[in-house]
Short mmCIF file of all heavy atoms in Angstrom, two decimals:
data_model
loop_
_atom_site.label_atom_id
_atom_site.label_comp_id
_atom_site.label_asym_id
_atom_site.label_seq_id
_atom_site.Cartn_x
_atom_site.Cartn_y
_atom_site.Cartn_z
N SER A 37 -20.76 -21.19 -4.75
CA SER A 37 -20.77 -19.73 -4.74
C SER A 37 -19.53 -19.13 -4.10
O SER A 37 -19.34 -17.91 -4.16
CB SER A 37 -22.02 -19.23 -4.00
OG SER A 37 -22.01 -19.67 -2.66
N SER A 38 -18.66 -19.94 -3.53
CA SER A 38 -17.43 -19.45 -2.93
C SER A 38 -16.29 -19.33 -3.93
O SER A 38 -15.23 -18.80 -3.59
CB SER A 38 -16.98 -20.39 -1.80
OG SER A 38 -17.93 -20.45 -0.76
N HIS A 39 -16.50 -19.82 -5.14
CA HIS A 39 -15.42 -19.89 -6.12
C HIS A 39 -15.61 -18.91 -7.26
O HIS A 39 -16.71 -18.81 -7.83
CB HIS A 39 -15.35 -21.30 -6.73
CG HIS A 39 -15.08 -22.38 -5.74
ND1 HIS A 39 -13.81 -22.79 -5.41
CD2 HIS A 39 -15.93 -23.14 -5.00
CE1 HIS A 39 -13.88 -23.76 -4.51
NE2 HIS A 39 -15.15 -23.99 -4.25
N ILE A 40 -14.55 -18.20 -7.60
CA ILE A 40 -14.50 -17.52 -8.89
C ILE A 40 -14.39 -18.63 -9.93
O ILE A 40 -13.61 -19.57 -9.77
CB ILE A 40 -13.29 -16.57 -8.97
CG1 ILE A 40 -13.44 -15.45 -7.95
CG2 ILE A 40 -13.12 -16.02 -10.38
CD1 ILE A 40 -12.19 -14.60 -7.78
N MET A 41 -15.17 -18.52 -11.00
CA MET A 41 -15.22 -19.57 -12.01
C MET A 41 -14.73 -19.06 -13.36
O MET A 41 -14.86 -17.87 -13.67
CB MET A 41 -16.66 -20.08 -12.17
CG MET A 41 -17.27 -20.67 -10.93
SD MET A 41 -16.42 -22.16 -10.38
CE MET A 41 -16.69 -23.25 -11.77
N GLY A 42 -14.18 -19.97 -14.13
CA GLY A 42 -13.69 -19.59 -15.45
C GLY A 42 -13.90 -20.68 -16.48
O GLY A 42 -14.16 -21.84 -16.15
N TRP A 43 -13.82 -20.27 -17.73
CA TRP A 43 -13.77 -21.18 -18.87
C TRP A 43 -12.44 -20.95 -19.58
O TRP A 43 -12.06 -19.80 -19.84
CB TRP A 43 -14.90 -20.92 -19.86
CG TRP A 43 -16.25 -21.35 -19.39
CD1 TRP A 43 -17.22 -20.55 -18.84
CD2 TRP A 43 -16.82 -22.66 -19.44
NE1 TRP A 43 -18.34 -21.29 -18.54
CE2 TRP A 43 -18.12 -22.60 -18.91
CE3 TRP A 43 -16.35 -23.89 -19.89
CZ2 TRP A 43 -18.94 -23.70 -18.81
CZ3 TRP A 43 -17.17 -25.00 -19.80
CH2 TRP A 43 -18.46 -24.91 -19.26
N LEU A 44 -11.75 -22.02 -19.87
CA LEU A 44 -10.53 -21.99 -20.66
C LEU A 44 -10.68 -23.03 -21.76
O LEU A 44 -11.51 -23.92 -21.67
CB LEU A 44 -9.32 -22.27 -19.79
CG LEU A 44 -9.04 -21.22 -18.70
CD1 LEU A 44 -9.76 -21.55 -17.40
CD2 LEU A 44 -7.56 -21.05 -18.46
N ARG A 45 -9.88 -22.91 -22.81
CA ARG A 45 -9.98 -23.85 -23.92
C ARG A 45 -8.59 -24.21 -24.43
O ARG A 45 -7.63 -23.46 -24.27
CB ARG A 45 -10.83 -23.26 -25.05
CG ARG A 45 -10.21 -22.06 -25.74
CD ARG A 45 -11.19 -21.46 -26.75
NE ARG A 45 -10.62 -20.32 -27.46
CZ ARG A 45 -11.29 -19.56 -28.32
NH1 ARG A 45 -12.57 -19.80 -28.57
NH2 ARG A 45 -10.69 -18.54 -28.92
N GLN A 46 -8.53 -25.36 -25.08
CA GLN A 46 -7.27 -25.83 -25.65
C GLN A 46 -7.52 -26.43 -27.01
O GLN A 46 -8.24 -27.44 -27.14
CB GLN A 46 -6.60 -26.85 -24.74
CG GLN A 46 -5.20 -27.23 -25.17
CD GLN A 46 -4.44 -27.95 -24.06
OE1 GLN A 46 -4.99 -28.41 -23.09
NE2 GLN A 46 -3.11 -28.01 -24.22
N ALA A 47 -6.96 -25.80 -28.02
CA ALA A 47 -7.05 -26.30 -29.38
C ALA A 47 -5.91 -27.28 -29.63
O ALA A 47 -4.88 -27.23 -28.95
CB ALA A 47 -6.97 -25.14 -30.36
N PRO A 48 -6.07 -28.18 -30.62
CA PRO A 48 -5.01 -29.15 -30.90
C PRO A 48 -3.67 -28.47 -31.19
O PRO A 48 -3.60 -27.53 -31.98
CB PRO A 48 -5.53 -29.87 -32.14
CG PRO A 48 -7.01 -29.72 -32.07
CD PRO A 48 -7.25 -28.38 -31.46
N GLY A 49 -2.65 -28.92 -30.50
CA GLY A 49 -1.32 -28.38 -30.72
C GLY A 49 -1.06 -27.01 -30.12
O GLY A 49 0.01 -26.43 -30.34
N LYS A 50 -2.01 -26.52 -29.35
CA LYS A 50 -1.85 -25.20 -28.76
C LYS A 50 -1.95 -25.27 -27.23
O LYS A 50 -2.44 -26.25 -26.68
CB LYS A 50 -2.90 -24.23 -29.30
CG LYS A 50 -2.77 -23.96 -30.78
CD LYS A 50 -3.73 -22.86 -31.22
CE LYS A 50 -3.55 -22.52 -32.68
NZ LYS A 50 -4.45 -21.43 -33.12
N GLN A 51 -1.48 -24.21 -26.59
CA GLN A 51 -1.58 -24.14 -25.14
C GLN A 51 -3.00 -23.81 -24.72
O GLN A 51 -3.77 -23.20 -25.48
CB GLN A 51 -0.60 -23.08 -24.60
CG GLN A 51 0.85 -23.44 -24.76
CD GLN A 51 1.77 -22.45 -24.07
OE1 GLN A 51 1.41 -21.29 -23.87
NE2 GLN A 51 2.95 -22.90 -23.70
N ARG A 52 -3.35 -24.20 -23.50
CA ARG A 52 -4.65 -23.86 -22.95
C ARG A 52 -4.72 -22.34 -22.78
O ARG A 52 -3.77 -21.72 -22.30
CB ARG A 52 -4.86 -24.57 -21.62
CG ARG A 52 -6.29 -24.61 -21.16
CD ARG A 52 -6.48 -25.58 -20.00
NE ARG A 52 -6.12 -26.95 -20.38
CZ ARG A 52 -6.34 -27.99 -19.59
NH1 ARG A 52 -6.90 -27.84 -18.40
NH2 ARG A 52 -5.98 -29.20 -19.99
N GLU A 53 -5.86 -21.76 -23.17
CA GLU A 53 -5.99 -20.31 -23.11
C GLU A 53 -7.27 -19.90 -22.40
O GLU A 53 -8.28 -20.60 -22.43
CB GLU A 53 -5.96 -19.70 -24.52
CG GLU A 53 -7.12 -20.08 -25.39
CD GLU A 53 -7.11 -19.34 -26.73
OE1 GLU A 53 -6.15 -18.61 -27.02
OE2 GLU A 53 -8.10 -19.49 -27.48
N PHE A 54 -7.20 -18.72 -21.81
CA PHE A 54 -8.33 -18.15 -21.09
C PHE A 54 -9.43 -17.73 -22.06
O PHE A 54 -9.15 -17.19 -23.14
CB PHE A 54 -7.83 -16.94 -20.31
CG PHE A 54 -8.90 -16.10 -19.68
CD1 PHE A 54 -9.52 -16.51 -18.51
CD2 PHE A 54 -9.28 -14.90 -20.26
CE1 PHE A 54 -10.50 -15.74 -17.92
CE2 PHE A 54 -10.27 -14.12 -19.68
CZ PHE A 54 -10.88 -14.54 -18.52
N VAL A 55 -10.68 -17.98 -21.63
CA VAL A 55 -11.83 -17.56 -22.42
C VAL A 55 -12.65 -16.51 -21.66
O VAL A 55 -12.91 -15.42 -22.17
CB VAL A 55 -12.73 -18.76 -22.77
CG1 VAL A 55 -13.99 -18.30 -23.49
CG2 VAL A 55 -11.97 -19.77 -23.63
N ALA A 56 -13.04 -16.85 -20.43
CA ALA A 56 -13.89 -15.94 -19.65
C ALA A 56 -13.87 -16.34 -18.19
O ALA A 56 -13.55 -17.48 -17.86
CB ALA A 56 -15.33 -15.97 -20.18
N GLN A 57 -14.19 -15.38 -17.33
CA GLN A 57 -14.32 -15.67 -15.91
C GLN A 57 -15.48 -14.86 -15.33
O GLN A 57 -15.91 -13.86 -15.92
CB GLN A 57 -13.04 -15.36 -15.14
CG GLN A 57 -12.80 -13.88 -14.92
CD GLN A 57 -11.53 -13.59 -14.16
OE1 GLN A 57 -10.44 -13.77 -14.68
NE2 GLN A 57 -11.67 -13.12 -12.92
N ILE A 58 -15.97 -15.32 -14.18
CA ILE A 58 -17.11 -14.67 -13.55
C ILE A 58 -16.90 -14.67 -12.04
O ILE A 58 -16.34 -15.60 -11.46
CB ILE A 58 -18.42 -15.39 -13.94
CG1 ILE A 58 -19.65 -14.59 -13.51
CG2 ILE A 58 -18.46 -16.82 -13.41
CD1 ILE A 58 -20.94 -15.08 -14.18
N SER A 59 -17.35 -13.58 -11.42
CA SER A 59 -17.19 -13.43 -9.97
C SER A 59 -18.12 -14.37 -9.21
O SER A 59 -19.01 -15.00 -9.79
CB SER A 59 -17.46 -11.99 -9.57
OG SER A 59 -18.81 -11.64 -9.87
N ARG A 60 -17.93 -14.43 -7.91
CA ARG A 60 -18.71 -15.34 -7.08
C ARG A 60 -20.21 -15.06 -7.16
O ARG A 60 -21.02 -15.98 -7.20
CB ARG A 60 -18.24 -15.25 -5.63
CG ARG A 60 -16.82 -15.74 -5.41
CD ARG A 60 -16.36 -15.52 -3.98
NE ARG A 60 -15.04 -16.08 -3.73
CZ ARG A 60 -13.91 -15.40 -3.92
NH1 ARG A 60 -13.94 -14.16 -4.34
NH2 ARG A 60 -12.75 -16.00 -3.65
N SER A 61 -20.56 -13.81 -7.23
CA SER A 61 -21.98 -13.44 -7.28
C SER A 61 -22.52 -13.44 -8.71
O SER A 61 -23.74 -13.43 -8.92
CB SER A 61 -22.18 -12.05 -6.69
OG SER A 61 -21.57 -11.07 -7.51
N GLY A 62 -21.63 -13.42 -9.67
CA GLY A 62 -22.03 -13.35 -11.07
C GLY A 62 -22.11 -11.93 -11.61
O GLY A 62 -22.42 -11.72 -12.77
N GLY A 63 -21.80 -10.97 -10.77
CA GLY A 63 -21.96 -9.58 -11.17
C GLY A 63 -20.82 -9.00 -11.98
O GLY A 63 -20.97 -7.93 -12.58
N MET A 64 -19.69 -9.66 -11.99
CA MET A 64 -18.52 -9.16 -12.74
C MET A 64 -17.96 -10.25 -13.63
O MET A 64 -17.96 -11.43 -13.25
CB MET A 64 -17.45 -8.66 -11.76
CG MET A 64 -17.86 -7.46 -10.95
SD MET A 64 -16.56 -6.87 -9.86
CE MET A 64 -16.52 -8.18 -8.63
N THR A 65 -17.48 -9.85 -14.79
CA THR A 65 -16.93 -10.80 -15.75
C THR A 65 -15.71 -10.22 -16.44
O THR A 65 -15.51 -9.00 -16.48
CB THR A 65 -17.96 -11.16 -16.83
OG1 THR A 65 -18.40 -9.95 -17.48
CG2 THR A 65 -19.16 -11.88 -16.25
N TYR A 66 -14.90 -11.13 -16.97
CA TYR A 66 -13.80 -10.79 -17.87
C TYR A 66 -13.92 -11.71 -19.09
O TYR A 66 -14.32 -12.86 -18.95
CB TYR A 66 -12.44 -11.03 -17.23
CG TYR A 66 -11.93 -9.95 -16.30
CD1 TYR A 66 -11.58 -10.25 -14.99
CD2 TYR A 66 -11.74 -8.65 -16.74
CE1 TYR A 66 -11.09 -9.29 -14.13
CE2 TYR A 66 -11.24 -7.67 -15.89
CZ TYR A 66 -10.92 -8.00 -14.58
OH TYR A 66 -10.42 -7.04 -13.73
N TYR A 67 -13.51 -11.20 -20.25
CA TYR A 67 -13.50 -12.01 -21.47
C TYR A 67 -12.18 -11.82 -22.21
O TYR A 67 -11.60 -10.74 -22.21
CB TYR A 67 -14.63 -11.60 -22.41
CG TYR A 67 -16.01 -11.92 -21.89
CD1 TYR A 67 -16.74 -10.96 -21.20
CD2 TYR A 67 -16.58 -13.18 -22.10
CE1 TYR A 67 -18.01 -11.24 -20.71
CE2 TYR A 67 -17.85 -13.47 -21.61
CZ TYR A 67 -18.55 -12.50 -20.92
OH TYR A 67 -19.80 -12.79 -20.44
N ALA A 68 -11.77 -12.87 -22.88
CA ALA A 68 -10.66 -12.74 -23.82
C ALA A 68 -11.14 -11.90 -25.00
O ALA A 68 -12.32 -11.96 -25.39
CB ALA A 68 -10.22 -14.11 -24.31
N ASP A 69 -10.24 -11.13 -25.57
CA ASP A 69 -10.61 -10.27 -26.70
C ASP A 69 -11.19 -11.07 -27.85
O ASP A 69 -12.08 -10.60 -28.57
CB ASP A 69 -9.40 -9.49 -27.18
CG ASP A 69 -9.00 -8.37 -26.21
OD1 ASP A 69 -9.83 -7.99 -25.36
OD2 ASP A 69 -7.86 -7.89 -26.32
N SER A 70 -10.71 -12.29 -28.04
CA SER A 70 -11.14 -13.11 -29.18
C SER A 70 -12.60 -13.54 -29.09
O SER A 70 -13.18 -13.93 -30.11
CB SER A 70 -10.24 -14.34 -29.29
OG SER A 70 -10.29 -15.12 -28.11
N VAL A 71 -13.20 -13.50 -27.91
CA VAL A 71 -14.58 -13.96 -27.75
C VAL A 71 -15.52 -12.84 -27.31
O VAL A 71 -16.74 -13.04 -27.26
CB VAL A 71 -14.68 -15.13 -26.77
CG1 VAL A 71 -13.72 -16.25 -27.16
CG2 VAL A 71 -14.44 -14.70 -25.32
N LYS A 72 -14.97 -11.69 -27.00
CA LYS A 72 -15.78 -10.59 -26.49
C LYS A 72 -16.86 -10.23 -27.50
O LYS A 72 -16.59 -10.09 -28.70
CB LYS A 72 -14.88 -9.39 -26.21
CG LYS A 72 -15.43 -8.39 -25.22
CD LYS A 72 -14.35 -7.37 -24.85
CE LYS A 72 -13.21 -7.98 -24.08
NZ LYS A 72 -12.20 -6.98 -23.65
N GLY A 73 -18.09 -10.10 -27.03
CA GLY A 73 -19.21 -9.77 -27.91
C GLY A 73 -19.88 -10.97 -28.52
O GLY A 73 -20.97 -10.85 -29.10
N ARG A 74 -19.26 -12.15 -28.43
CA ARG A 74 -19.84 -13.38 -28.99
C ARG A 74 -20.19 -14.39 -27.90
O ARG A 74 -21.17 -15.13 -28.04
CB ARG A 74 -18.87 -14.02 -29.96
CG ARG A 74 -18.50 -13.14 -31.14
CD ARG A 74 -17.67 -13.91 -32.18
NE ARG A 74 -16.40 -14.39 -31.65
CZ ARG A 74 -16.04 -15.68 -31.63
NH1 ARG A 74 -16.84 -16.60 -32.11
NH2 ARG A 74 -14.85 -16.03 -31.13
N PHE A 75 -19.39 -14.44 -26.85
CA PHE A 75 -19.60 -15.40 -25.76
C PHE A 75 -20.09 -14.68 -24.52
O PHE A 75 -19.72 -13.53 -24.26
CB PHE A 75 -18.29 -16.11 -25.40
CG PHE A 75 -17.78 -17.07 -26.44
CD1 PHE A 75 -18.29 -17.12 -27.72
CD2 PHE A 75 -16.73 -17.93 -26.12
CE1 PHE A 75 -17.80 -18.01 -28.66
CE2 PHE A 75 -16.23 -18.83 -27.04
CZ PHE A 75 -16.75 -18.86 -28.32
N THR A 76 -20.92 -15.38 -23.73
CA THR A 76 -21.41 -14.85 -22.46
C THR A 76 -21.27 -15.91 -21.37
O THR A 76 -21.79 -17.01 -21.51
CB THR A 76 -22.88 -14.42 -22.57
OG1 THR A 76 -23.03 -13.45 -23.61
CG2 THR A 76 -23.36 -13.82 -21.25
N ILE A 77 -20.56 -15.54 -20.32
CA ILE A 77 -20.43 -16.43 -19.16
C ILE A 77 -21.48 -16.04 -18.13
O ILE A 77 -21.75 -14.84 -17.92
CB ILE A 77 -19.00 -16.37 -18.57
CG1 ILE A 77 -18.81 -17.42 -17.48
CG2 ILE A 77 -18.68 -14.97 -18.05
CD1 ILE A 77 -17.36 -17.54 -17.00
#
């Protein structure tokens, strides 16, 4: 619970990219535009 957590992904031949992050309590999130509305952290 002390860590801000995130998900990142890496497709073949591409750089690792941000997907989503969540605050320590879980009350705040950020999403990449490409996954917004489809993914939930």
